[in-house]
Amino acid sequence: MKKAVPLYIGTAALCMVGFAYTLYQIFYVAPLAQAPLYYNQKIFYYHVPCAFMLFAAVITCGIASIKYLRKREERWDDVAFAAAEVAVMFGLIVLVTGVLWAKPAWDKWWVWDARLTSALLLWMTMLAYMLVRKYGGAGAERLAAGLGIFAMINIPLVYASTRLWKTNHPSANTVPSLDSSMRAALWLSVLLFTFFFILLLRLRIDAQRAERRLYRCREMALDAGLFE
Amino acid sequence: MDFLQHVKTLAWKDIRVEFRSREIVYTMTFFAGMVVLLFSFAFLRESSAANGGMITDASLSPGFIWVAVLFSGTLGLSRTFDRERETGTMRGLLLSPMPRAAIFLGKAVGIFVMVLVVQAVVLPLVALFFDAPLFDHPLALLCLTLAGTLGFALVGSVFAAMLLKSGSREVLLPVVLYPILVPLFIAAIKGTATMMSGSMSETWFWIRFLLAYDLIFTVAALWTFEHLVIE
């Protein structure tokens, strides 16, 4: 684990420099959007990557949960838990930036469009996951793993069930039609957020493992009669 | 064949226990009726007819039906599994040579029947209070009710069984269950609404959606149940 520390610092530094560079890319290089969006469109470079990371985190959580239930190895449980936490964070960013963007774009803070609804529900499911982990008592890991799997399966269903509502969210194929410098800034942002996501995930997994080891040490110390 | 026999035995056991006390069905039905009433009071408006009193819009009724079913069904779920826990019979079931999948399906069928009883009361009640044309397409209504309730019973039984040993199961059950049930809930409401407005091709689409949901989660539940129930 110690060996990984320079790697973590390196990734963190890369993210720091990279995010600073995206600021330049986004505000100076990428052109201003058409009316009525203007500067509001800039939030897009953070909103979309965070949405990708939310989905990546939920899928990571689901796959790790399946592995955990099959193999009963704690390391998979750590991955699932870390991914759920990261998903909650990215979900919050997606929702807040989405609401901020929706007001100038559609003149409403919130509309029940397929993507908004699915993002909100995914976020709620991950919150439920955290609640289960915290208050579920004995066996909460397995219950949470079940929830993680069901949440992953639920993604396409939620999306399909809300898709038939009239949607005014810009569709996925707006990305290729963007100005090339806009596209460059977006994909750079996505790449950096991916690094950031992996870094956060690794750090949380390590913290989780350290906690587990500490707990075991305490148990051993209790067994050896070192504590009262 | 044996498997189905096990499922039948278990479901029949639950239904018989319930039939003797009628505790769950009575309380669930009363609760569902109360939810419908509260909703009617919440959305009262004055009738535009000359001598009309206060009414509630029929277009709101699909939502009320399924919210009432969801809420009362959650009560029923906790209660059925609590019964097993209080008497310690869940351990007995898990120790028996039946496959766990059969235990799960047996439980789910029991819940399914109880929620259907609630539906049988809620649907006429809503049709009465809201003046909603619910019974114009009996076949579609039946399919919607069966498919929707089945999905609820399946997913609900998995989570209720998992939470059996957990201390704060009453609060955690809705917390974990509702986000997963949202697609089912949306499809059931949309299906009921389109049925009331007479656009039947859409209704059948939503019924197919519900069946797909049921199928997907049956597979997921059968796979996970084995690993999830702790005793």
Side-chain angles (χ1 to χ4, degrees):
Chain A
M1 189 184 155
K2 269 227 175 85
K3 270 179 279 172
V5 169
L7 193 65
Y8 293 171
I9 294 174
T11 318
L14 176 76
C15 287
M16 224 165 83
V17 176
F19 280 129
Y21 181 67
T22 51
L23 278 180
Y24 169 75
Q25 268 282 334
I26 290 165
F27 284 96
Y28 288 94
V29 180
L32 206 56
Q34 305 284 309
L37 284 171
Y38 298 124
Y39 275 104
N40 294 306
Q41 185 264 346
K42 302 290 185 198
I43 209 167
F44 161 83
Y45 302 105
Y46 297 102
H47 176 73
V48 175
C50 284
F52 286 173
M53 294 310 117
L54 167 66
F55 281 93
V58 175
I59 291 169
T60 312
C61 177
I63 292 173
S65 299
I66 292 178
K67 292 243 180 197
Y68 174 62
L69 281 190
R70 283 185 98 151
K71 303 203 166 138
R72 289 296 158 74
E73 289 166 356
E74 281 163 347
R75 60 200 186 101
W76 290 114
D77 183 47
D78 295 338
V79 176
F81 188 32
E85 267 191 4
V86 176
V88 170
M89 191 202 73
F90 279 115
L92 189 63
I93 299 176
V94 170
L95 292 172
V96 171
T97 53
V99 164
L100 288 179
W101 194 13
K103 184 65 182 170
W106 304 326
D107 202 29
K108 280 189 191 74
W109 293 109
W110 185 269
V111 288
W112 290 106
D113 138 276
R115 269 175 240 200
L116 274 78
T117 315
S118 1
L120 177 67
L121 270 165
L122 269 187
W123 186 65
M124 298 281 287
T125 319
M126 289 294 116
L127 278 186
Y129 183 99
M130 303 301 295
L131 284 173
V132 167
R133 291 301 293 241
K134 202 155 168 47
Y135 304 111
E141 310 85 38
R142 268 189 270 177
L143 172 54
L147 186 59
I149 295 169
F150 276 54
M152 185 174 66
I153 301 172
N154 217 17
I155 297 175
L157 289 170
V158 172
Y159 190 76
S161 68
T162 45
R163 197 195 49 188
L164 286 157
W165 294 351
K166 195 177 171 335
T167 185
N168 55 355
H169 196 286
S171 66
N173 52 29
T174 50
V175 175
S177 72
L178 289 172
D179 186 283
S180 67
S181 57
M182 280 178 160
R183 213 184 316 159
L186 173 69
W187 290 118
L188 181 67
S189 193
V190 170
L191 187 71
L192 282 168
F193 267 104
T194 313
F195 279 123
F196 188 49
F197 165 66
I198 295 168
L199 178 70
L200 284 179
L201 195 65
R202 285 300 323 183
L203 286 175
R204 278 303 300 144
I205 293 170
D206 283 348
Q208 194 68 18
R209 286 188 186 155
E211 193 182 316
R212 223 186 265 284
R213 268 206 298 280
L214 198 62
Y215 187 74
R216 273 206 204 109
C217 285
R218 188 173 160 274
E219 296 276 286
M220 278 158 72
L222 278 174
D223 285 347
L226 292 176
F227 299 144
E228 271 309 303
Chain B
M1 212 60 238
D2 248 12
F3 183 80
L4 286 181
Q5 194 63 42
H6 289 316
V7 174
K8 204 184 110 195
T9 314
L10 259 176
W12 187 233
K13 175 213 76 143
D14 267 5
I15 293 165
R16 232 172 1 181
V17 169
E18 179 50 35
F19 185 72
R20 281 181 193 148
S21 69
R22 297 189 195 87
E23 175 205 356
I24 300 177
V25 165
Y26 280 167
T27 46
M28 263 169 92
T29 314
F30 180 81
F31 181 73
M34 213 53 231
V35 170
V36 170
L37 270 189
L38 286 175
F39 272 131
S40 327
F41 298 150
F43 295 97
L44 276 182
R45 67 173 181 81
E46 216 155 326
S47 165
S48 49
N51 55 352
M54 302 297 274
I55 55 158
T56 323
D57 277 331
S59 63
L60 298 171
S61 55
F64 299 169
I65 297 170
W66 289 97
V67 170
V69 167
L70 203 62
F71 284 2
S72 62
T74 315
L75 284 189
L77 274 175
S78 331
R79 200 53 212 124
T80 337
F81 281 88
D82 264 359
R83 213 177 244 171
E84 298 280 3
R85 198 180 49 89
E86 278 162 12
T87 49
T89 40
M90 196 66 192
R91 177 168 296 155
L93 284 181
L94 292 173
L95 285 173
S96 72
M98 272 184 244
R100 293 210 165 167
I103 300 178
F104 160 68
L105 282 180
K107 275 286 175 204
V109 170
I111 301 281
F112 176 66
V113 173
M114 286 180 214
V115 179
L116 279 185
V117 174
V118 175
Q119 296 259 37
V121 177
V122 167
L123 289 174
L125 204 62
V126 169
L128 173 78
F129 283 149
F130 294 79
D131 195 20
L134 279 174
F135 298 100
D136 290 358
H137 304 277
L139 182 65
L141 182 69
L142 186 70
C143 291
L144 268 173
T145 311
L146 290 179
T149 312
L150 184 64
F152 173 82
L154 287 166
V155 179
S157 304
V158 183
F159 285 111
M162 279 197 255
L163 279 166
L164 204 60
K165 294 290 260 181
S166 163
S168 43
R169 60 186 164 280
E170 289 88 355
V171 268
L172 283 181
L173 181 62
V175 164
V176 295
L177 191 56
Y178 292 169
I180 304 296
L181 282 177
V182 163
L184 173 116
F185 189 65
I186 290 172
I189 288 175
K190 281 273 170 188
T192 316
T194 51
M195 181 190 72
M196 276 168 50
S197 63
S199 34
M200 294 315 288
S201 62
E202 281 181 60
T203 309
W204 289 108
F205 167 81
W206 287 115
I207 291 172
R208 283 201 298 277
F209 184 93
L210 284 173
L211 289 173
Y213 178 98
D214 292 353
L215 190 70
I216 291 168
F217 278 104
T218 310
V219 175
L222 285 175
W223 186 79
T224 45
F225 192 77
E226 190 90 13
H227 302 274
L228 288 176
V229 180
I230 313 140
E231 187 81 46

